[in-house]
Amino acid sequence: MKLYNTLTRKKEEFVPLEEGKVKMYVCGPTVYNYFHIGNARPFIIFDTLRRYLEYRGYEVTYVQNFTDVDDKIINKANEEGISAEELADKYINEYFKDADALGIKRATIHPRVTENIKDIIEFIKDLENKGYAYVVDGDVYFDTKKFKSYGKLSKQSIEDLEAGARIEVNEKKKNPMDFALWKAKKEGEPGWDSPWGEGRPGWHIECSVMSNRYLGETIDIHAGGQDLTFPHHENEIAQSEARSGKVFSRYWLHNGYINVNNEKMSKSKGNFFTVRDISKQFDLEVVRFFMLSAHYKNPVNFSDEMLKQAQSGLERLYNTRGKLEFLLENLSGNLKDEEKNILDKLSYYKQKFIESMDDDINTADAISVIFELAKFINSNVSEESSLEFSKKCYDLFIELTGVLNIVNKKREENLDEEIQKLIDERTKAKKEKNYQLADEIRQRLLDMGIVLEDTRQGTKWRRV
Ligand SMILES: Nc1ncnc2c1ncn2[C@@H]1O[C@H](COP(=O)(O)OP(=O)(O)OP(=O)(O)O)[C@@H](O)[C@H]1O
Ligand SMILES: [Zn+2]
């Protein structure tokens, strides 16, 4: 399997440190709000990478953190008159509701910064002892000039970075690229005791510490959105490698942006749609399907129209699944000769799916293969087919869609909703005296094996 590694700017063969095992860290959300469609992209994409690795037989330890102390959280908590902890608790809870509905598997560990303060302090002490950190008025800074390979991820020399970056003037720092490991407490902020006085951790240190604590000094994959490459991931490398003297992460993966009118969707620009809001209009499986329909590194323009397209694509796949499930209940018999002849098509689709995913998790191509398979099923499985053949088609369809965790509802669950929707449409048509449409809908339901009975309490249905 090949993955595009930001560190080398190349697609590289993926070889984990320990055979059969993958240690993976994904930068998680800052929990002060519902997360938006842009934030959803890394969560969905790297969840899919994890699922694919598991499908290929790897045992994956997956860590995704919650940033539960930071300026934005503190400000919002102060506005709402609650503690930073209460605010973070609330949005962690809300995160899980949306993430579950997006089909994102829970991480092996979801650590929180505030539960790791002791380790953070120890880590900073190590950096200080090794001469990589200096203290000014209760703040502790990382000395970037001391870390010789600073800039290796963003491929810029420290001089270029200094020249190019607009960094706020901070009298306390020795060099403009230095960053805070520990921040002295200010009025109205939460704080913890430390050797440097009361304070709280800077942002970058948390990921170095939690990755080290839960996965060890060297991990296989570290991932996040493209905006995290610099300075966040650059700083994580500096902190971790300065302390351990070992490679921090062997593969660095970054997803491209979800844009609105070609501009990055972001909270600060206000051009964002929360997943929660979208869930009022669309099943969130549609959002997952939409994300996976593009290659994760390509920029994607988000719009309602795109979601509607994704919705109808997903519906087509559900129709295939529904048809197969209906037929499986009614068919019998072993493979027929003509079915034996086309059986190798199934292994071909499976092979193509794996090739696509092996090519830097090309979910867009993988979904095209699923559509090809659906087309094959639609034209080759019918009331005339054998049970054995239909079952083989069905098993492959479920296997491949299962890797991406799409089309994951059974016909029965899906059907009840669909039936009710059609009944409502028919009732509306009757009210509007559109009897032709009403009859058409009744016939469509009958074809699905559903009989309607109009009663005084409304329309009831039963299976034939
Ligand atoms: N428009 C976007 N497209 C793709 N990924 C994004 C986008 N915006 C943020 N991300 C990613 O979402 C993840 C969660 O980050 P976090 O909660 O810190 O959001 P954020 O960067 O504060 O969001 P914002 O940019 O809206 O302020 C990070 O991996 C980040 O790179
Ligand atoms: Zn991080």
Side-chain angles (χ1 to χ4, degrees):
M1 170 180 202
K2 285 197 160 61
L3 293 175
Y4 184 89
N5 189 351
T6 309
L7 195 60
T8 55
R9 300 287 194 272
K10 275 194 208 106
K11 268 190 211 172
E12 287 176 17
E13 191 59 35
F14 175 68
V15 185
L17 202 58
E18 197 181 329
E19 209 189 316
K21 292 193 174 158
V22 180
K23 294 173 180 177
M24 189 168 168
Y25 186 99
V26 178
C27 292
T30 307
V31 278
Y32 67 104
N33 204 338
Y34 296 103
F35 64 94
H36 60 64
I37 295 284
N39 304 137
R41 191 176 200 183
F43 306 150
I44 294 170
I45 289 299
F46 299 121
D47 168 73
T48 306
L49 170 59
R50 173 212 195 160
R51 287 172 183 275
Y52 183 64
L53 289 166
E54 286 173 346
Y55 171 68
R56 297 303 301 274
Y58 290 104
E59 186 192 310
V60 183
T61 312
Y62 191 93
V63 177
Q64 186 183 295
N65 66 301
F66 286 116
T67 301
D68 64 348
V69 57
D70 127 307
D71 289 340
K72 295 174 214 164
I73 295 177
I74 295 167
N75 292 341
K76 180 109 186 270
N78 286 344
E79 268 169 37
E80 293 193 9
I82 55 174
S83 69
E85 193 184 349
E86 283 169 312
L87 187 88
D89 280 347
K90 173 177 167 190
Y91 285 111
I92 287 175
N93 224 345
E94 302 298 342
Y95 166 87
F96 282 126
K97 285 188 202 158
D98 289 336
D100 289 349
L102 286 168
I104 298 166
K105 193 168 164 178
R106 301 270 170 129
T108 319
I109 307 154
H110 278 284
R112 294 170 63 153
V113 180
T114 54
E115 288 165 357
N116 285 274
I117 301 289
K118 200 171 126 277
D119 287 64
I120 291 175
I121 292 173
E122 287 305 315
F123 200 105
I124 300 175
K125 276 200 320 210
D126 288 346
L127 287 174
E128 208 186 352
N129 292 338
K130 293 192 172 192
Y132 286 103
Y134 58 92
V135 187
V136 188
D137 301 338
D139 288 344
V140 187
Y141 294 98
F142 187 91
D143 194 342
T144 45
K145 285 259 157 67
K146 290 262 167 68
F147 184 70
K148 293 297 168 238
S149 50
Y150 192 81
K152 72 174 170 183
L153 184 67
S154 38
K155 299 272 174 281
Q156 297 180 78
S157 70
I158 199 156
E159 291 74 26
D160 292 345
L161 284 166
E162 282 178 6
R166 263 183 286 141
I167 295 165
E168 84 235 56
V169 184
N170 180 340
E171 300 285 305
K172 295 180 183 176
K173 290 201 273 189
K174 285 201 222 164
N175 305 300
M177 300 320 291
D178 294 354
F179 55 90
L181 297 166
W182 187 262
K183 297 175 172 183
K185 181 183 155 120
K186 296 196 200 96
E187 188 58 38
E189 288 185 0
W192 289 264
D193 282 334
S194 82
W196 318 284
E198 220 182 331
R200 64 182 165 97
W203 171 35
H204 315 293
I205 192 70
E206 65 182 70
C207 292
S208 286
V209 173
M210 296 191 272
S211 179
N212 179 55
R213 173 167 178 193
Y214 298 103
L215 299 170
E217 286 176 337
T218 300
I219 67 170
D220 295 300
I221 301 173
H222 195 115
Q226 182 185 310
D227 53 336
L228 298 187
T229 312
F230 184 83
H232 185 54
H233 289 160
E234 196 74 69
N235 292 350
E236 284 188 37
I237 292 177
Q239 298 163 148
S240 297
E241 299 192 355
R243 177 177 169 278
S244 71
K246 296 181 187 146
V247 169
F248 173 37
S249 175
R250 304 169 69 236
Y251 299 85
W252 287 86
L253 268 58
H254 293 101
N255 63 271
Y257 293 142
I258 298 293
N259 294 327
V260 179
N261 299 325
N262 299 314
E263 217 186 351
K264 183 197 168 207
M265 184 184 290
S266 86
K267 285 171 213 145
S268 49
K269 288 196 202 101
N271 62 347
F272 65 92
F273 298 89
T274 64
V275 168
R276 186 59 56 89
D277 274 342
I278 299 289
S279 75
K280 290 173 191 147
Q281 219 190 324
F282 291 92
D283 186 320
L284 288 183
E285 191 185 6
V286 172
V287 173
R288 184 176 181 96
F289 185 74
F290 159 77
M291 287 297 173
L292 298 179
S293 301
H295 189 274
Y296 77 97
K297 290 197 75 67
N298 289 344
V300 168
N301 254 321
F302 173 80
S303 68
D304 228 36
E305 205 35 56
M306 299 282 281
L307 279 188
K308 282 192 187 129
Q309 272 175 32
Q311 188 175 37
S312 73
L314 192 59
E315 242 164 57
R316 267 161 48 216
L317 295 180
Y318 264 114
N319 287 341
T320 302
R321 178 170 176 160
K323 172 183 164 176
L324 281 172
E325 277 166 359
F326 176 74
L327 287 173
L328 285 179
E329 283 172 20
N330 298 289
L331 295 177
S332 61
N334 297 331
L335 280 179
K336 300 177 175 179
D337 285 342
E338 66 269 27
E339 292 172 342
K340 281 183 194 153
N341 291 337
I342 52 172
L343 211 54
D344 56 355
K345 263 289 194 186
L346 292 183
S347 10
Y348 163 79
Y349 290 127
K350 180 167 169 167
Q351 196 49 40
K352 260 183 91 178
F353 177 88
I354 289 176
E355 274 168 25
S356 306
M357 291 298 282
D358 271 355
D359 182 15
D360 193 27
I361 30 173
N362 194 334
T363 54
D365 283 359
I367 285 180
S368 301
V369 176
I370 291 176
F371 273 113
E372 279 178 51
L373 171 64
K375 202 168 150 202
F376 171 84
I377 290 170
N378 293 341
S379 30
N380 291 292
V381 184
S382 69
E383 286 87 350
E384 315 295 317
S385 305
S386 72
L387 176 63
E388 191 179 350
F389 180 66
S390 320
K391 183 78 171 60
K392 281 187 191 299
C393 290
Y394 179 70
D395 287 348
L396 183 65
F397 186 83
I398 294 298
E399 179 178 325
L400 302 189
T401 51
V403 174
L404 305 181
N405 196 21
I406 53 171
V407 204
N408 51 20
K409 291 188 202 70
K410 269 189 90 74
R411 174 169 165 264
E412 293 299 315
E413 298 165 34
N414 204 29
L415 207 60
D416 286 5
E417 278 172 41
E418 201 184 323
I419 291 168
Q420 199 49 54
K421 225 169 82 190
L422 284 171
I423 291 176
D424 293 345
E425 269 176 44
R426 177 172 168 268
T427 311
K428 188 164 159 256
K430 272 171 57 181
K431 264 200 198 122
E432 290 165 358
K433 302 208 175 354
N434 188 347
Y435 297 111
Q436 195 189 337
L437 178 64
D439 283 347
E440 272 170 27
I441 296 175
R442 175 189 278 273
Q443 187 54 47
R444 234 174 107 188
L445 283 160
L446 202 59
D447 294 343
M448 291 161 68
I450 303 300
V451 188
L452 298 184
E453 272 172 55
D454 290 315
T455 71
R456 257 185 239 173
Q457 289 83 35
T459 306
K460 299 215 165 116
W461 62 269
R462 64 179 167 78
R463 295 187 205 281
V464 259

